[in-house]
Amino acid sequence: MKEIYLANDTSFGCPVEATTSLIGKKWVPSILMILNQKPHRFGELQTALSGCSKKVLKQQLNLLITNGLISNSKVTIANMVESTYQLTTTGESLMPIVLAMKTWGKQHLICQRKLA
Amino acid sequence: MKEIYLANDTSFGCPVEATTSLIGKKWVPSILMILNQKPHRFGELQTALSGCSKKVLKQQLNLLITNGLISNSKVTIANMVESTYQLTTTGESLMPIVLAMKTWGKQHLICQRKLA
DNA sequence: TAAATTAGGTACTTTTTAGTTACCACCTGG
DNA sequence: CCAGGTGGTAACTAAAAAGTACCTAATTTA
């Protein structure tokens, strides 16, 4: 259970690194952008992020929960366990940055898929 | 020489991922912030980023050059080779995002150095 | 000529992150 | 009781990123 944490004993040299250690995870930006639309269930996220394994998805969701960017509510309605993930206020506060990164990427990196 | 490239055959699912593949590197944000102050020589960067090995520093500088965020000019003055790195216009255009990440990190992650 | 400085390169190892596969627990309808 | 869906865990493997140690080359000064 140690891989889900943002930081262990190693402190970050600067706050950007701390932020990067969150959004630098492979699926985190995508997760955030999906949850920015509306809360999603685990299965829905899995479908939306085809290519991301259950394990990694859960791992990165845990990372986001641990750092207060998203929250999880489990409701055992009639038939099934509904496990829903949604952005917290803190998570929402990160969205402008994520979206700025998206815009920047669109403008500057579009043609760099196959270098060398 | 293949690890210095932003992308190989794998295309990114979304532009945020492309941006992340740049600033998600451990020392890249710090390098950018240092170069945002003024151009630096290789040795100066090394001193400023104590903890970053030569190899990784060079690797990440190359990554930034390949993607047009910084440029390198070598001048062989009287005594020594001066190899100077500076931000390009594109590199400068990324700074607002990096600085926003820094601000966000300061506000939200300051006390999360030792979780669990 | 030898030492020191500056900017690199290369081989190898370790650490971190991601992916695969298989499994468990809970609940429900038949 | 059994199949099927939902959410999750554990063990293991693979790939990517970072770190270590040692090497080259040009030049300048003692």
Side-chain angles (χ1 to χ4, degrees), chain B residues 4 11 13-14 21 26 40 46 77 91 104:
Chain B
I4 68 159
S11 60
C14 105
S21 75
K26 188 160 175 181
H40 278 68
Q46 237 190 146
I77 324 178
W104 192 92

Side-chain angles (χ1 to χ4, degrees), chain B residues 46-110:
Chain B
Q46 237 190 146
T47 310
L49 299 165
S50 63
C52 179
S53 70
K54 271 175 152 187
K55 186 201 120 186
V56 174
L57 178 55
K58 193 69 211 343
Q59 218 172 264
Q60 309 206 348
L61 287 173
N62 283 344
L63 174 76
L64 293 173
I65 290 172
T66 304
N67 287 283
L69 299 190
I70 66 174
S71 63
N72 169 241
S73 43
K74 269 173 207 157
V75 191
T76 316
I77 324 178
N79 27 359
M80 291 295 152
V81 185
E82 264 216 14
S83 182
T84 313
Y85 296 87
Q86 55 270 313
L87 286 186
T88 60
T89 320
T90 309
E92 280 168 13
S93 75
L94 190 57
M95 289 313 299
I97 297 178
V98 177
L99 294 171
M101 289 172 62
K102 182 178 178 174
T103 305
W104 192 92
K106 252 189 202 159
Q107 285 170 357
H108 298 95
L109 301 169
I110 207 77

Side-chain angles (χ1 to χ4, degrees), chain A residues 43-109:
Chain A
E44 292 174 327
L45 284 171
Q46 238 190 146
T47 309
L49 299 167
S50 64
C52 180
S53 69
K54 268 176 153 187
K55 186 203 120 186
V56 174
L57 177 56
K58 192 72 212 339
Q59 217 173 266
Q60 308 206 349
L61 287 173
N62 283 344
L63 173 76
L64 293 173
I65 290 172
T66 305
N67 288 282
L69 299 191
I70 67 175
S71 63
N72 170 242
S73 43
K74 269 172 209 159
V75 191
T76 315
I77 323 181
N79 27 359
M80 292 294 150
V81 184
E82 265 213 13
S83 183
T84 312
Y85 296 87
Q86 56 269 313
L87 286 185
T88 60
T89 319
T90 309
E92 280 168 12
S93 76
L94 189 57
M95 289 312 298
I97 297 178
V98 178
L99 294 171
M101 287 172 63
K102 182 179 179 174
T103 305
W104 192 92
K106 254 190 200 157
Q107 286 170 356
H108 298 95
L109 301 170

